[in-house]
Amino acid sequence: MDVAARFAALIETLCGAVAARGAKGAFGAANGALVVLLWSRLRRAVRRFAILAAGAPPPRRRASRPRHRAARTPAVALPRRAAWLLAPVPEASAVAGRLRDLLETPEARALIASEPRAGRLLRPLCRALGLRLPACLRLPPRSRPAVAPAKARAAAPTTATPRPAPAPRLSPRRPVRPGPLHTRAPPVPS
């Protein structure tokens, strides 16, 4: 069985578990929307992974679009914390183990090494399942700009103008919500 077929079988199992648990209300208040979003993203990942495994052509450059359009805010978004899928879908832990085994195969490593887009599909899935990223999926550390030594910074003339003092805050950081602790009883007439 090739890598794409094994990945499809894994995701099919996960989609079934997500649908079953979602029908029971495991995802909370935004149950229906979150289940549909998760299920569609998983199915899309299967299609994209199969295309990449079959030898997809390199991506085309998109024409630049003007950035003046209003940004759309999705009604519901998938959580981003690590291992978030394990609590509502306990069956996901078995899928995580099978995915870890799949990522350790030489075929999967070769595919990920030759096709960086496969890593972009697999990293969020590994994070959602609580898997530690294998070496083939880890990104190189980001380079930070070099900082001048303290002596060189002190000797360099500063041309920047000093920042003005921040304006005092007129409102508290958190609004006070009226409730039983914050309301006062009216004075008793004597």
Side-chain angles (χ1 to χ4, degrees):
M1 188 183 256
D2 69 330
V3 176
R6 286 179 64 188
F7 183 72
L10 285 172
I11 299 301
E12 187 65 35
T13 303
L14 187 58
C15 282
V18 164
R21 294 292 178 164
K24 294 178 182 176
F27 291 98
N31 187 34
L34 190 63
V35 170
V36 169
L37 178 63
L38 178 59
W39 194 87
S40 62
R41 290 235 180 128
L42 290 171
R43 299 302 300 162
R44 188 178 331 137
V46 168
R47 288 192 307 271
R48 287 182 178 174
F49 193 80
I51 290 169
L52 294 175
R60 291 178 284 161
R61 292 204 81 160
R62 294 183 181 187
S64 63
R65 295 180 185 174
R67 299 276 181 177
H68 65 278
R69 295 187 309 170
R72 291 185 299 161
T73 306
V76 66
L78 294 177
R80 293 186 178 207
R81 66 184 182 278
W84 70 268
L85 193 54
L86 297 178
V89 184
E91 296 89 353
S93 60
V95 173
R98 289 174 49 200
L99 180 62
R100 183 180 52 244
D101 293 341
L102 175 67
L103 293 176
E104 291 175 359
T105 62
E107 298 87 17
R109 288 182 185 172
L111 174 65
I112 293 167
S114 66
E115 187 58 70
R117 292 178 285 179
R120 286 193 289 272
L121 282 174
L122 294 171
R123 275 185 218 99
L125 181 60
C126 288
R127 183 170 178 78
L129 293 173
L131 288 179
R132 185 172 179 206
L133 290 179
C136 60
L137 284 177
R138 288 189 201 126
L139 294 172
R142 293 182 182 180
S143 61
R144 295 183 180 185
V147 177
K151 290 181 183 178
R153 280 184 282 167
T158 58
T159 58
T161 58
R163 291 185 184 177
R169 295 192 106 162
L170 300 177
S171 63
R173 288 183 179 240
R174 286 189 320 213
V176 177
R177 294 186 182 135
L181 297 176
H182 300 290
T183 57
R184 293 186 180 176
V188 179
S190 27

